Amino acid sequence: MAVTATTPATRPPTATSRAGAAPVAAALVLLVAVLAVVDLTQGTAAVGAAEVWKALTGQADATDASVVVASRLPRMAAGLLVGAVLGMAGAALQAVSRNVLASPDTLAVNAGSYFVLGLASATGVTLPLLASSGLAFVGGLAAAAVVLGLSGLGTGTVRLVLAGSALTLGLTAVTEGLLLLFPQQTEGIYHWNQGSIAQNGFDGVLQMLPIAVVGVLGLLLLGRRIDALALGDDAARGLGVPVRATRLTAVVLAALLSTTAVTLAGPIGFVGLCAPALVRPLARRFRAFARTRGGLPVAALTGAALVLGSDVLLRVLVPADVAVAVPTGVVTSLVGAVFLIVMATRTRDTAAAAEPDRLRLRSRTAFLTTTAVLVVVLVGITVAALLLGDAKLLFGDLLNWVQGQAGRTTAFVLETRVPRVLAALLAGAALALAGTLVQAVTRNPLAEPSILGVSGGAALGAVLLVTSVPMVGSWGVAGAAFAGAAASSVLVFGLAAKDGFRQNRLVLVGFGVATGAAALISLLIILTDPFNAIKALTWLSGSTYGRTTPDIVPLAAVLAVGVVVAAVRRTELDLVSLDDDTPRLLGLNLGRGRLGFLVLAVLLTATAVAAAGTIGFVGLVAPHAARALVGRPHARVMPVSVLLGAVLVCAADLVGRTVIAPAQLGAGLMTAVIGTPYFLYLLVRSRRG
């Protein structure tokens, strides 16, 4: 996958003015100060500006002074510190990687920290704040190293986002599995992961401040070397700069700053992405900001303004008693998602839609053999899924049940287990077919519903209905999921269709939509009552638990229609996946054909999400494996992909409910664990190619 997008971070600074930087910096300081003052006056307690002033001057009564000193001031200080360190971390990462989308979020730093802290909580280890910071630092640095190693430095935006989002999905899936398995030990970790600057006293801020100072001083001392990297690796080496050591040191220091923020307030999303992007136009205009030692403080001020501004905006728009429960990180993630989408549409994208996979032609015998083997495997895994679980049955029990001669206990077990198995089989088949259609239409081998935000939109629609109308039926959930998937797909494919489905724009817009949907889902889960929150979390993990026959009827109907339509139009799908010119020369309406296939893919994804929750990577792994086994013709790819998807999800569901029985893990968590390494392998392979 060739990525050649030109971004501002790949060019040396072109600042043209020395004057004017001081007034701009002063204006930023004033903005941050105003936001800090406003933030002090907001909260559930009736403590306004006058009471805050009296508390600061020692004239307030004990109650008002306690509110200001124990809650308001620490919250404001945490917002300043978190925003500043994230802004500087993002600026440093973008400078050394020469990538405008490098940040603690896209490098999976937050996900790595979340994973190690969740693991520590699940094992019952109680750690002081500084020790937790050390663990978070190790996890975040390791995740960033993996992403940078897989994506390379300065090789374009899309590979870094793909590697970071894939690793984030895998690590988050494992962490949420721990949350479901150890609910008491990990209580509060999910809410912490949304990011909140609320504090109870100054202890946390004071303990994290020295670590932040070390990171800031280290980056400032490294400033001249980082500036030299903007000239190119060869030029930097010519100036005597150790390029590899400089990059490594800068990444370690940026991870240290990110860890400071994560430990203190949880992951505050996208501040490290947005703050440097807002400073970049200033750097092109004012020479003082174009250098690292001048740009980092400005990025820090911008980050502080973003965090405090988000907190102020939240408390202005939402009633005070509700705003207390809404983490600041949800607001910054929503802002960052919009920002990322805008950046994707404005960035000049010279990477065309991907070329079709170069695969060896397979014989008809190979296709028939592969299909037969998969059918046998599917039957075997289905029988195993029916017999195994918290209650183990014999094959004779299954035969007796089919004949209507089973005992009451056996009948009860199978009547509850059969819908689960069918939901897993049908959901896997639907997601695999949807992934095949999306990859063919976009000619992007790394595209699939979950990465492009379609699954996220479907999940948002379904969670919105599940949390607001708990007794809603299966058709209602399917309808809500389709509405969400349709809205997200219109946004993603509508913005990405400009000049064709360019790789960079398609993936970046999809990543932004998926991020925004995840933030809104988190908001719904946090604000709903605990019973619905647990229900939504379980469902989001891709669980088939509690499924009944009516729940899978919409999915079965849509899948049947999808298979028939795709089979009838298989030749057209082959032509669409080749290029833009061949279908037109043969008289096909390319736009209408693409739209039809995408609508079908959205329907399949929405009903699969409604029936089995969010299950990632199936739409990526199954079509890839199918093409490798039987070649490119969709007459062969589609049936093999459908069979592979059904086997994968059914096997994941079986493993999730038997390995640690009676406890269970959702099929979505298992497919994420399987799919993440495979996705990263595809990135490595495409980079070598």
Side-chain angles (χ1 to χ4, degrees), residues 167-180:
L167 188 59
T168 296
L169 183 58
L171 291 175
T172 302
V174 175
T175 309
E176 291 181 354
L178 294 173
L179 265 60
L180 291 173

Side-chain angles (χ1 to χ4, degrees), residues 362-459:
R362 302 289 182 176
S363 65
R364 180 179 177 82
T365 302
F367 165 64
L368 294 176
T369 302
T370 301
T371 305
V373 170
L374 285 175
V375 169
V376 172
V377 172
L378 181 63
V379 172
I381 199 71
T382 302
V383 172
L386 291 173
L387 299 181
L388 300 178
D390 51 354
K392 294 180 175 60
L393 302 176
L394 300 175
F395 188 70
D397 296 327
L398 179 60
L399 292 178
N400 290 334
W401 180 77
V402 172
Q403 298 171 4
Q405 301 175 2
R408 181 177 300 178
T409 302
T410 301
F412 174 78
V413 171
L414 286 174
E415 285 169 4
T416 56
R417 191 174 291 173
V418 167
R420 292 194 62 172
V421 175
L422 289 177
L425 291 170
L426 296 176
L431 290 172
L433 182 56
T436 303
L437 296 175
V438 170
Q439 290 179 16
V441 169
T442 62
R443 295 195 292 277
N444 190 332
L446 295 178
E448 70 115 9
S450 62
I451 292 175
L452 297 183
V454 179
S455 296

Side-chain angles (χ1 to χ4, degrees), residues 64-469:
D64 290 347
S66 175
V67 169
V68 173
V69 174
S71 177
R72 301 282 178 86
L73 279 174
R75 185 184 74 192
M76 182 267 290
L80 288 173
L81 180 60
V82 168
V85 297
L86 287 178
M88 297 184 75
L93 289 171
Q94 291 181 16
V96 297
S97 66
R98 298 199 294 272
N99 194 318
V100 295
L101 290 179
S103 73
D105 308 277
T106 53
L107 291 183
V109 173
N110 291 340
S113 300
Y114 182 35
F115 168 69
V116 296
L117 291 177
L119 184 62
S121 298
T123 55
V125 177
T126 302
L127 298 172
L129 190 63
L130 286 177
S132 298
S133 177
L135 272 181
F137 171 68
V138 172
L141 183 61
V146 171
V147 174
L148 288 175
L150 291 172
S151 63
L153 296 171
T155 58
T157 57
V158 73
R159 190 184 302 276
L160 181 136
V161 171
L162 283 172
S165 61
L167 188 59
T168 296
L169 183 58
L171 291 175
T172 302
V174 175
T175 309
E176 291 181 354
L178 294 173
L179 265 60
L180 291 173
L181 290 176
F182 305 98
Q184 294 182 346
Q185 294 90 331
T186 60
E187 185 178 1
I189 291 292
Y190 180 83
H191 288 255
W192 169 87
N193 187 51
Q194 310 312 311
S196 174
I197 61 174
Q199 301 290 312
N200 185 17
F202 282 98
D203 290 346
V205 175
L206 293 176
Q207 290 185 51
M208 291 297 103
L209 186 59
I211 301 176
V213 170
V214 171
V216 170
L217 291 178
L219 287 176
L220 291 176
L221 292 174
L222 205 65
R224 292 184 182 274
R225 293 185 176 184
I226 295 176
D227 291 336
L229 294 181
L231 303 174
D233 290 358
D234 294 336
R237 290 190 185 95
L239 294 174
V241 174
V243 173
R244 187 183 297 272
T246 300
R247 282 202 174 109
L248 177 61
T249 305
V251 170
V252 170
L253 291 172
L256 186 65
L257 290 177
S258 302
T259 299
T260 302
V262 168
T263 307
L264 181 61
I268 303 291
F270 286 97
V271 175
L273 173 69
C274 297
L278 293 173
V279 172
R280 201 170 297 119
L282 298 176
R284 288 195 290 267
R285 181 174 178 82
F286 302 108
R287 188 171 301 175
F289 299 155
R291 304 300 181 190
T292 299
R293 291 181 179 178
L296 286 181
V298 176
L301 288 172
T302 306
L306 284 172
V307 173
L308 289 178
S310 298
D311 197 52
V312 168
L313 181 64
L314 171 66
R315 297 171 189 278
V316 168
L317 299 178
V318 180
D321 56 337
V322 178
V324 171
V326 180
T328 308
V330 172
V331 183
T332 60
S333 292
L334 288 172
V335 173
V338 175
F339 195 86
L340 181 60
I341 294 171
V342 172
M343 285 184 65
T345 56
R346 297 184 63 181
T347 299
R348 185 164 66 91
D349 190 356
T350 59
E355 294 294 328
D357 294 337
R358 294 190 178 100
L359 300 170
R360 291 182 298 170
L361 294 176
R362 302 289 182 176
S363 65
R364 180 179 177 82
T365 302
F367 165 64
L368 294 176
T369 302
T370 301
T371 305
V373 170
L374 285 175
V375 169
V376 172
V377 172
L378 181 63
V379 172
I381 199 71
T382 302
V383 172
L386 291 173
L387 299 181
L388 300 178
D390 51 354
K392 294 180 175 60
L393 302 176
L394 300 175
F395 188 70
D397 296 327
L398 179 60
L399 292 178
N400 290 334
W401 180 77
V402 172
Q403 298 171 4
Q405 301 175 2
R408 181 177 300 178
T409 302
T410 301
F412 174 78
V413 171
L414 286 174
E415 285 169 4
T416 56
R417 191 174 291 173
V418 167
R420 292 194 62 172
V421 175
L422 289 177
L425 291 170
L426 296 176
L431 290 172
L433 182 56
T436 303
L437 296 175
V438 170
Q439 290 179 16
V441 169
T442 62
R443 295 195 292 277
N444 190 332
L446 295 178
E448 70 115 9
S450 62
I451 292 175
L452 297 183
V454 179
S455 296
L460 175 59
V463 170
L464 180 61
L465 195 63
V466 167
T467 54
S468 58
V469 188

Side-chain angles (χ1 to χ4, degrees), residues 593-622:
R594 273 178 167 169
L595 179 62
F597 288 128
L598 289 177
V599 169
L600 181 57
V602 170
L603 271 170
L604 290 165
T605 303
T607 50
V609 169
T614 50
I615 299 176
F617 290 113
V618 177
L620 172 80
V621 174

